[in-house]
Amino acid sequence: MIPVVYPTVVIYFGCYIFWIIGYLYNAAMDKRHCYRFLMADWLAKAVCFICYVVYPTTNTRPEIVGSDIWAQLMRFLYSMDAADNLFPSIHCLVSWLCYIGIRGNKKVPQWIRTTFCICAIAVFISTLTTKQHVIYDVVAGVALVEVTYRVSKLIVKKAVKKGKSNTEAQYV
């Protein structure tokens, strides 16, 4: 029921710029945050891999009509990005990860946090309006990264605690 909106292909392709900025921004924070961010990313993508192997999904995409720049970009997208391995959406997962990495950080200016949130939501919309994903893929990508971000916090916290106890043991 969601219509194809050809111009949103620009957002779909442009998300790579957002991701580079998001990863660099999150990596530039303290080491503990960087570990948590990267661990959440790795865990989420590992779960995606399992989903893609165990439960491969596909999508039927519409025929692209027209010859304007938007139609050409949509055809290019469809030729480059197969309509498989869709659940959960890595586009949505990575976009949301870039946002949640700074979401609650008061050291990050509010306008940057808001911009990251808007960019992530724009990516969600573009995945739907380019017919690359369905709503379930978007929701699953967001939910998965929310879970792995919380799990990564526990893992990093435990590793730091273990590291401190090992360091203290050396001096006793």
Side-chain angles (χ1 to χ4, degrees):
M1 294 179 52
I2 297 170
V4 178
V5 182
Y6 291 3
T8 59
V9 72
V10 173
I11 297 167
Y12 193 86
F13 286 135
C15 70
Y16 293 96
I17 295 166
F18 170 52
W19 296 344
I20 291 168
I21 293 166
Y23 275 65
L24 290 174
Y25 206 95
N26 278 282
M29 294 185 193
D30 63 88
K31 190 184 287 188
R32 189 175 183 169
H33 175 82
C34 184
Y35 289 152
R36 177 184 183 189
F37 180 84
L38 293 174
M39 178 166 295
D41 180 58
W42 185 88
L43 288 171
K45 288 176 182 170
V47 171
C48 285
F49 174 76
I50 293 166
C51 289
Y52 298 160
V53 170
V54 173
Y55 184 68
T57 56
T58 61
N59 192 11
T60 304
R61 300 188 282 200
E63 180 182 342
I64 303 301
V65 295
S67 59
D68 62 3
I69 186 68
W70 305 118
Q72 291 174 22
L73 285 171
M74 287 293 290
R75 281 189 199 92
F76 177 69
L77 170 62
Y78 286 3
S79 72
M80 298 299 295
D81 196 358
D84 57 9
N85 295 330
L86 305 175
F87 181 87
S89 166
I90 290 183
H91 269 75
C92 298
L93 178 151
V94 171
S95 297
W96 197 246
L97 178 62
C98 289
Y99 168 63
I100 65 172
I102 65 166
R103 174 174 58 197
N105 189 332
K106 301 297 182 200
K107 293 178 184 176
V108 177
Q110 182 61 50
W111 72 269
I112 293 176
R113 289 184 276 156
T114 301
T115 300
F116 272 42
C117 184
I118 291 168
C119 287
I121 292 169
V123 171
F124 301 168
I125 292 167
S126 76
T127 65
L128 298 171
T129 58
T130 57
K131 299 299 181 181
Q132 289 296 96
H133 291 281
V134 295
I135 291 173
Y136 298 117
D137 305 332
V138 175
V139 171
V142 171
L144 176 58
V145 81
E146 285 285 349
V147 169
T148 60
Y149 197 71
R150 284 174 176 75
V151 168
S152 67
K153 179 179 183 179
L154 298 173
I155 294 169
V156 169
K157 190 178 205 177
K158 187 174 182 177
V160 168
K161 191 174 184 179
K162 183 179 178 184
K164 284 182 182 178
S165 64
N166 288 344
T167 304
E168 292 168 0
Q170 290 175 345
Y171 297 106
V172 174

